[in-house]
Amino acid sequence: MIWLTWRQFRGSAAMMAAVLVVFAAVLALTGPNLASEYAAGVAGCTPDNTCFDFFDRFFSEYDLLFLALTLVVLILPALVGLFWGAPLITRELEAGTHLLVWNQSITRGRWLAVKLGLTGLAAMAAAGVCGLAVTWWSDPLDKSAVPEMAQMAPVVFGARGIAPMGYAAFAFVLGVTVGMLVRRTLPAMALTMVVFAAIQIAMPLLVRPHLMPPVAGTFELGRENMDGLGAPGGGSLQIFLRTSAVPGHAGAWVLSSKLVDPSGRTISSGDGSSGPSSTIVRAVPVSTTSGPCSAQGLPTGGCTAEINRLGYRQQATYQPLERFWPFQWIETGIYALLTLGLAWSSFWWLRRRLS
């Protein structure tokens, strides 16, 4: 049975292996140069405290490649579900070969166990190699990325560490299960894609923020959480608050962020919502006709110190970067449980309902 499974699967496995070898070789050749450039840049910017500027330049130089590699890792589990999982049963049913295969001395359960085991392990290995290789290569960029693309950000988190292995295992067994229910290859592939995409969207929105209790904090305003200050037409002072970053916690995943006044009340006047979108504008009653926040005083930087002295603060809840690996293990465990549940249902359906 193992030999038969390998004979049927070896073409897909060889193609995947070849692609991964080329992919890993390219990353291995370019990764050391990227790390050296990052290290040299940090060494040069540290003495004069200009590392924020270096991080912006460094990440913007490689941002398209960074996003492309992230997208490759995110798509790979879906492709496994579509092209390895969904056709596993449906091609036997459509070709009628199940009438021969399932009436031999090998039981249906053993047939499915070997199919799931061999192909599923190959899918996990491919996603694991791809995810860990990109994690290693992207380390300098993860350290210098804009807050929206930090390692804990929803889009990037799923393309790092061991999580892609859990996604691939789940997508593969999901495809097999859907194939058993639908019994047609193309509809099974389409339904697998829809269900997998829905779960991948629901996980960072509904589940991941609550894997561990978020941290709440109040922070002074500064370069890390402000995009600037403005005083249009001599009116109220406008604070451009970055809702995706908190000072002193680079790489954190900010769940909520708002500007509060000295009494702790939320300031809602201005543009934009208080969620972790990017930048919101909030108007505060600080003089812009004279003093540190006047048109003449703004360029000197004294206005930031003034609004902090008056007691304006950022209040935020966030998941710190230190929880990256605990979140990876917890989320992978959740997908492992979902995979086991689908595998059990596949065995039950094959033995009781499928003929």
Side-chain angles (χ1 to χ4, degrees):
M1 188 62 225
I2 295 175
W3 176 84
L4 176 62
T5 302
W6 169 246
R7 291 269 299 181
Q8 292 178 321
F9 178 62
R10 62 183 179 180
S12 299
M15 182 178 297
M16 177 65 76
V19 172
L20 285 177
V21 167
V22 174
F23 184 73
V26 172
L27 295 184
L29 291 174
T30 58
N33 292 332
L34 185 69
S36 298
E37 183 179 349
Y38 173 80
V42 171
C45 71
T46 301
D48 53 1
N49 197 27
T50 58
C51 286
F52 283 114
D53 296 329
F54 165 72
F55 291 154
D56 289 340
R57 293 194 307 271
F58 182 71
F59 184 76
S60 62
E61 184 178 352
Y62 296 99
D63 56 353
L64 292 180
L65 185 57
F66 174 88
L67 292 173
L69 291 176
T70 299
L71 188 62
V72 167
V73 183
L74 292 176
I75 290 177
L76 180 59
L79 296 179
V80 166
L82 263 64
F83 295 103
W84 288 5
L88 189 73
I89 299 293
T90 56
R91 66 187 173 196
E92 302 282 356
L93 296 174
E94 290 177 339
T97 53
H98 67 291
L99 298 174
L100 174 64
V101 174
W102 295 345
N103 287 285
Q104 302 300 313
S105 59
I106 297 174
T107 64
R108 294 185 179 193
R110 183 180 175 188
W111 179 88
L112 183 59
V114 175
K115 289 279 189 177
L116 290 182
L118 186 62
T119 313
L121 288 175
M124 292 176 63
V129 169
C130 188
L132 292 174
V134 171
T135 301
W136 169 78
W137 186 91
S138 300
D139 182 61
L141 294 173
D142 287 333
K143 293 176 180 177
S144 57
V146 295
E148 293 81 5
M149 290 287 110
Q151 214 169 11
M152 285 291 287
V155 173
V156 180
F157 179 88
R160 299 290 185 268
I162 60 173
M165 297 175 65
Y167 303 157
F170 172 73
F172 170 67
V173 180
L174 175 65
V176 173
T177 305
V178 171
M180 285 187 182
L181 298 175
V182 177
R183 301 191 179 198
R184 292 292 182 268
T185 300
L186 291 180
M189 294 173 69
L191 188 56
T192 298
M193 185 65 183
V194 170
V195 174
F196 182 71
I199 293 176
Q200 290 296 88
I201 293 172
M203 177 61 73
L205 292 178
L206 304 176
V207 180
R208 192 182 300 157
H210 310 290
L211 294 180
M212 297 176 69
V215 179
T218 303
F219 305 94
E220 290 190 346
L221 302 176
R223 180 168 183 178
E224 291 182 73
N225 57 356
M226 278 202 318
D227 273 336
L229 299 166
S236 299
L237 178 69
Q238 290 187 337
I239 298 177
F240 295 81
L241 181 68
R242 301 181 69 180
T243 57
S244 56
V246 290
H249 298 278
W253 178 22
V254 181
L255 304 176
S256 66
S257 178
K258 59 186 179 181
L259 185 68
V260 297
D261 63 17
S263 62
R265 292 191 298 267
T266 301
I267 299 175
S268 56
S269 59
D271 299 323
S273 64
S274 60
S277 55
S278 181
T279 302
I280 58 175
V281 184
R282 291 293 181 259
V284 297
V286 176
S287 174
T288 58
T289 57
S290 62
C293 296
S294 64
Q296 295 76 24
L298 277 176
T300 65
C303 187
T304 301
E306 176 66 12
I307 58 178
N308 282 320
R309 185 190 67 80
L310 293 173
Y312 293 97
R313 296 290 186 268
Q314 176 196 28
Q315 278 189 357
T317 58
Y318 60 96
Q319 296 288 0
L321 182 60
E322 292 76 15
R323 294 180 177 179
F324 174 79
W325 282 109
F327 270 44
Q328 285 275 317
W329 285 106
I330 294 172
E331 187 162 318
T332 303
I334 292 173
Y335 275 87
L337 291 176
L338 293 174
T339 301
L340 291 175
L342 286 176
W344 178 86
S345 65
S346 297
F347 280 103
W348 182 87
W349 193 267
L350 182 67
R351 289 168 176 166
R352 302 290 181 88
R353 298 296 182 90
L354 205 58
S355 61

